[in-house]
Amino acid sequence: MGEENPQEGLSSRIARLVHTHFDALPARSKPIVRDDGTREWIPMAGMVVVRGENTTEEELTCVAVTSGAKCLAASQLPNCKGLVLHDWHAEVLALRAFNYWVLSEVRGLLLGEDVAATTQSSSPSPSRFIRRRSPQQQQHPDQPPFELHPDLKVYMCCTCAPCGDASMELTMAAQEDPTPWHIYYTPTKPPPANLLDGRGHFSKLGIVRRKPARADADSTKSKSCSDKLALRQVSSLLSPETALLVRVTASAYLAGVMLPETEISGVGCERAFGREGRMKGLVGRYLSPSLSSSSGDEKEEEEEEGDASGYRFHPFEILPIPSAVADSLWQYGKPRDSPQTASTSTTKYKPGTISAVWVAAPSVGADQLVVLGPVSGAKQLPRLAGSRTGLYESIIGGVKQGSKASAPVVRGASALSRARMWGTFREIVLDLQKNQDRQDGRVKHEGGLSRLDDERLRQIVEAATYVDFKRAIVTSTRPGQARARALREAKTVLVPWVPNAGDGDWGLDVLVDANPKKRKR
């Protein structure tokens, strides 16, 4: 199972590749049948990079595989200190994992350059996916020095429809009574302000929803996967900090989302993501150049490049995975029986508590990264379906298995958590500075690193708190300002978008382990 057939459609080949990687994960990362016979189910998502036209097996690269179906209540956020994931639905983990992979690819490229400079090699080993921008393309100090190769396309493959607006028709069809649910609130559980429940209110479509949860559970303010994917049709796949290093180009947007045929509501997907749906007001608009120059020179330059750069609405394709293929690949899905069949079934199903995170190692510099330690997990799981591992984790309750979200510590923090991702970004900035110092007095990669404003980046990453860090990205850099302006435009059609605030009053000192375990020699 998992062998690619070049005659199959792209969606089937990508699905087989992603499922092959998940199947190779250890059993501890997968759903189980509990002692009482309850069968666990879990959504899974994968990120695949495709190079060139007329794709063949060699041009498809799986860079991340994730699974998950839960998120934190808003009341728990103040205790997280950046060490606990807020949302570990499979699609959201996949988006964070993609950024982790991009940052690892950038760091691998920098390490390759460092080795080349140290050994006086003619040129460093190139990355298969990231390239350094030319001196002519960097006219200002805070321009991102890297970009994804322009012949790349990024796809997401999912085992079920994303929660929220895109799946409302499927949710309604699964009910014996499709009447909008009546939601009961109490003095201790008031209705969330301006944020509708995840599955209820069937009569209201095209709106932003929170993640679904049991009626008796604490409210969450994590937006649905439909809404988060829709926002990234504007903001790109790149996070705010990643976009300081990697320019937002057409390759940084999702080209398509693969779903099993039975998990696609054409009406729901068009409404949630399409040109004629809720995003219609953004179609054809130039939302923000990637530099936001007040003089307009950079905007004119980017407009000449067409869709190659800057922020626009980039609708992705919804590509069906044939039912026969999807059913043969995935054994951990939630049963989607008819209401009548579901009411008579004796088998109990519940969402799994364990989430998996796997990220591919960078295509260059992986050996040095493993030695240095930032690419954790590689020694435990060196290869997965032929792919070298850069990160492997099992997550329970937003932290690594064996840790407690109620008392978070750095050892239990996922590499995809806020604090650890900030720390990874800081490591890259330090690498940039090291390479800059090494190049002083030399003519090497002319106009590249020398045009990067290292001092400004250092000030950003050394911010006192996470809130200050994110604010500095917007206020101190033109890429950050451009992204913020594009997001404001997107949120004029994605309503009501209520911030999920409460976990930002902490600094990088949370990454200092107060009680390090003794290592065995």
Side-chain angles (χ1 to χ4, degrees):
M1 196 279 294
E3 291 296 323
E4 297 242 356
N5 179 358
Q7 302 304 314
E8 282 190 314
L10 180 63
S11 60
S12 294
R13 287 186 284 131
I14 285 180
R16 290 187 187 278
L17 182 63
V18 169
H19 282 79
T20 298
H21 281 72
F22 184 87
D23 290 344
L25 288 172
R28 65 178 178 271
S29 296
K30 299 174 182 176
I32 61 172
V33 178
R34 300 179 186 178
D35 292 339
D36 63 356
T38 299
R39 302 185 69 89
E40 292 185 345
W41 58 269
I42 204 82
M44 187 263 285
M47 304 294 291
V48 173
V49 174
V50 178
R51 294 198 67 169
E53 301 293 332
N54 301 317
T55 54
T56 63
E57 179 181 355
E58 288 73 28
E59 293 175 311
L60 272 62
T61 305
C62 184
V63 300
V65 174
T66 57
S67 64
K70 295 181 180 294
C71 66
L72 280 183
S75 61
Q76 296 176 274
L77 297 187
N79 190 49
C80 290
K81 302 298 181 185
L83 303 173
V84 183
L85 294 166
H86 298 175
D87 183 347
W88 54 101
H89 278 224
E91 298 93 327
V92 174
L93 282 180
L95 294 171
R96 298 187 72 83
F98 180 80
N99 276 273
Y100 180 92
W101 172 75
V102 171
L103 291 176
S104 296
E105 196 71 24
V106 168
R107 189 161 196 208
L109 188 151
L110 289 172
L111 286 171
E113 292 179 349
D114 187 48
V115 170
T118 302
T119 60
Q120 300 296 311
S121 299
S122 58
S123 61
S125 300
S127 163
R128 291 176 55 205
F129 309 103
I130 302 287
R131 69 181 186 183
R132 185 179 285 283
R133 300 179 64 219
S134 68
Q136 293 75 22
Q137 293 173 317
Q138 290 185 261
Q139 302 299 318
H140 298 277
D142 59 357
Q143 288 191 1
F146 306 101
E147 65 183 9
L148 293 164
H149 280 293
D151 64 344
L152 295 184
K153 289 185 178 180
V154 184
Y155 292 88
M156 176 182 283
C157 177
C158 306
T159 57
C160 64
C163 64
D165 199 44
S167 60
M168 291 307 294
E169 279 76 10
L170 299 176
T171 301
M172 288 186 275
Q175 313 303 316
E176 286 191 77
D177 179 7
T179 304
W181 302 344
H182 183 73
I183 306 299
Y184 294 92
Y185 293 109
T186 67
T188 58
K189 182 182 176 293
N194 300 319
L195 200 63
L196 297 176
D197 286 273
R199 295 194 186 95
H201 303 280
F202 296 153
S203 57
K204 297 182 179 181
L205 301 172
I207 45 84
V208 172
R209 296 176 178 273
R210 67 178 174 89
K211 283 288 197 298
R214 296 195 319 267
D216 60 345
D218 288 343
S219 295
T220 171
K221 287 186 178 180
S222 288
K223 268 63 71 180
S224 75
C225 291
S226 290
D227 299 316
K228 291 185 176 181
L229 287 173
L231 188 66
R232 278 157 182 78
Q233 291 182 297
V234 172
S235 68
S236 84
L237 291 167
L238 305 181
S239 66
E241 54 267 37
T242 306
L244 293 182
L245 301 172
V246 180
R247 196 186 196 200
V248 174
T249 62
S251 296
Y253 286 87
L254 266 179
V257 175
M258 280 77 173
L259 296 170
E261 285 180 317
T262 56
E263 291 291 322
I264 296 176
S265 163
V267 172
C269 287
E270 177 61 31
R271 183 182 60 242
F273 309 122
R275 293 176 177 274
E276 297 299 321
R278 58 181 178 172
M279 311 291 282
K280 184 176 181 179
L282 304 179
V283 174
R285 292 175 55 190
Y286 191 84
L287 301 178
S288 180
S290 61
L291 286 179
S292 306
S293 170
S294 58
S295 67
D297 293 340
E298 287 79 10
K299 180 175 180 179
E300 180 178 343
E301 175 188 341
E302 295 193 15
E303 286 176 334
E304 291 176 356
E305 297 180 20
D307 288 336
S309 61
Y311 291 96
R312 296 171 174 84
F313 170 54
H314 287 253
F316 48 67
E317 292 185 275
I318 300 293
L319 302 173
I321 304 168
S323 295
V325 174
D327 293 344
S328 69
L329 294 175
W330 191 238
Q331 58 179 310
Y332 303 113
K334 182 180 181 180
R336 192 174 287 280
D337 300 322
S338 66
Q340 293 76 19
T341 304
S343 63
T344 59
S345 174
T346 58
T347 303
K348 294 185 294 183
Y349 294 87
K350 289 188 177 180
T353 57
I354 297 178
S355 297
V357 173
W358 177 87
V359 184
S363 63
V364 61
D367 290 334
Q368 295 96 318
L369 283 171
V370 170
V371 172
L372 292 173
V375 185
S376 60
K379 294 182 179 179
Q380 301 136 298
L381 199 65
R383 287 195 178 273
L384 201 74
S387 300
R388 189 168 182 179
T389 296
L391 174 70
Y392 167 59
E393 297 177 340
S394 293
I395 303 294
I396 299 180
V399 294
K400 290 195 290 188
Q401 190 172 10
S403 301
K404 295 181 179 180
S406 58
V409 295
V410 64
R411 294 192 305 275
S414 167
L416 307 185
S417 65
R418 285 184 167 193
R420 293 283 298 278
M421 290 290 279
W422 181 6
T424 297
F425 180 71
R426 180 179 183 275
E427 294 285 348
I428 293 174
V429 171
L430 294 177
D431 286 343
L432 285 167
Q433 181 61 57
K434 182 173 67 174
N435 281 25
Q436 177 67 70
D437 293 342
R438 188 181 296 277
Q439 290 185 57
D440 284 347
R442 302 179 184 178
V443 180
K444 185 179 281 288
H445 304 297
E446 185 176 332
L449 288 172
S450 63
R451 292 189 180 276
L452 190 68
D453 191 340
D454 293 316
E455 182 60 33
R456 184 178 302 185
L457 280 181
R458 281 202 308 273
Q459 291 175 356
I460 291 173
V461 299
E462 301 295 351
T465 69
Y466 184 75
V467 170
D468 295 333
F469 170 59
K470 298 303 284 286
R471 183 184 296 118
I473 292 176
V474 174
T475 60
S476 301
T477 71
R478 283 181 293 181
Q481 293 163 7
R483 187 178 191 275
R485 183 158 60 246
L487 288 177
R488 286 196 297 270
E489 293 291 329
K491 290 174 184 178
T492 63
V493 297
L494 292 172
V495 292
W497 196 280
V498 178
N500 194 20
D503 181 19
D505 189 19
W506 47 268
L508 281 175
D509 57 329
V510 300
L511 296 179
V512 178
D513 195 343
N515 297 293
K517 291 183 178 180
K518 293 182 179 180
R519 296 183 179 179
K520 295 181 180 180
R521 294 186 179 272

